[in-house]
């Protein structure tokens, strides 16, 4: 193999590796991207990239969840961002802000992948002193109705 061919091969390999590393670093390729159902089966959220961060928007909500959100001051639940500005935490999880529509409040939050079809969503108050978590499950499609 000539020196030029070896150099071209090395550059191509480096570019492929850099592209792979960037693809794995971005939220859109993370295992958290997708559509998720809360444990009460009342809200479905689609997660994906929002700039350099990860966000999640309500794509379906039960009548009860919509009513609770209205009572909390959120007029239209479907389309609302529940997961806001999550950044990788370096340990495989994400940290950001979760919006709780029925309370009309935002809280510090962490997301931790459990497996390919489950993620643990944690919301905290008092700088993480008191936290509550739920395990959300991945769903193949948005519910109807």
């Amino acid at each position: 193999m000539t020196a030029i061919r070896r150099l071209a091969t090395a550059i191509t390999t480096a570019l492929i590796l850099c592209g792979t590393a960037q693809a794995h670093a971005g939220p859109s390729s993370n295992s958290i991207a997708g559509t998720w159902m809360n444990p009460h089966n009342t809200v479905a959220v689609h997660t994906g990239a929002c700039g350099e961060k990860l966000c999640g928007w309500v794509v379906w909500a039960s009548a009860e969840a919509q009513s609770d959100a209205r009572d909390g001051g959120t007029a239209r639940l479907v389309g609302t961002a529940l997961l806001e500005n999550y950044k990788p935490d370096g340990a495989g999880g994400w940290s950001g802000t979760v919006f709780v529509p029925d309370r009309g409040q935002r809280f510090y939050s962490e997301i931790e992948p459990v497996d390919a079809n489950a993620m643990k969503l944690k919301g905290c108050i008092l700088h993480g002193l008191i936290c509550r978590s739920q395990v959300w499950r991945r769903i193949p499609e948005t519910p109807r109705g």
Side-chain angles (χ1 to χ4, degrees), residues 61-128:
S62 69
E64 178 185 357
Q66 292 180 51
S67 176
D68 290 346
R70 279 191 300 276
D71 290 346
T74 302
R76 187 169 185 267
L77 184 55
V78 174
T80 298
L82 289 190
L83 308 177
E84 302 171 332
N85 301 314
Y86 283 77
K87 296 180 255 183
D89 66 8
W94 298 78
S95 60
T97 303
V98 62
F99 176 63
V100 181
D102 55 342
R103 297 185 69 182
Q105 296 180 308
R106 287 170 172 78
F107 299 96
Y108 169 78
S109 175
E110 295 176 353
I111 298 174
E112 175 186 328
V114 174
D115 59 36
N117 294 309
M119 69 174 180
K120 184 165 111 178
L121 178 61
K122 179 168 65 171
C124 302
I125 60 172
L126 301 173
H127 303 289

Side-chain angles (χ1 to χ4, degrees), residues 7-84:
L7 180 60
T9 301
I11 291 171
T12 301
T13 302
L15 289 172
I16 290 170
L17 290 175
C18 286
T20 302
Q22 287 177 342
H24 288 293
S28 61
S29 66
N30 188 283
S31 64
I32 292 176
T35 305
W36 302 87
M37 181 68 74
N38 74 348
H40 306 291
N41 295 320
T42 57
V43 175
V45 171
H46 182 76
T47 59
C50 55
E52 296 289 319
K53 298 176 182 167
L54 179 86
C55 296
W57 302 268
V58 177
V59 292
W60 175 86
S62 69
E64 178 185 357
Q66 292 180 51
S67 176
D68 290 346
R70 279 191 300 276
D71 290 346
T74 302
R76 187 169 185 267
L77 184 55
V78 174
T80 298
L82 289 190
L83 308 177
E84 302 171 332

